Amino acid sequence: MAKGKEIRVRIILECTGCVRKSVNKKSTGISRYITQKNRHNTPSRLELRKFCPYCYKHTIHGEIKK
């Protein structure tokens, strides 16, 4: 199988709450997680609730482009 046609791909999840706060300069950083997803089962962008150490709560982390 060709390398570009892999079924499981690595994705980066970024906190949606920190992205909004970084415009106001209140946050000290942006929380990011690295995970994998199956391209065939989940063709759309992935969103998961994860803990953000900068917001100090569980927020939605959305998939971003590499």
Side-chain angles (χ1 to χ4, degrees):
M1 192 174 240
K3 188 165 182 146
K5 302 290 182 178
E6 294 175 356
I7 294 174
R8 295 202 62 83
V9 292
R10 181 183 282 177
I11 60 169
I12 300 171
L13 301 173
E14 186 176 76
C15 179
T16 56
C18 289
V19 173
R20 289 188 218 129
K21 284 183 182 178
S22 66
V23 174
N24 298 333
K25 305 288 188 226
K26 290 182 183 176
S27 180
T28 58
I30 297 174
S31 173
R32 289 190 175 150
Y33 286 92
I34 297 173
T35 187
Q36 292 182 346
K37 77 171 185 177
N38 188 319
R39 196 182 287 179
H40 294 301
N41 293 342
T42 317
S44 60
R45 292 195 179 262
L46 190 63
E47 288 187 343
L48 297 174
R49 280 182 54 93
K50 303 287 256 172
F51 181 77
C52 176
Y54 300 106
C55 298
Y56 299 109
K57 59 184 175 181
H58 284 82
T59 58
I60 295 177
H61 285 64
E63 181 180 342
I64 61 171
K65 284 193 170 186
K66 252 186 193 178

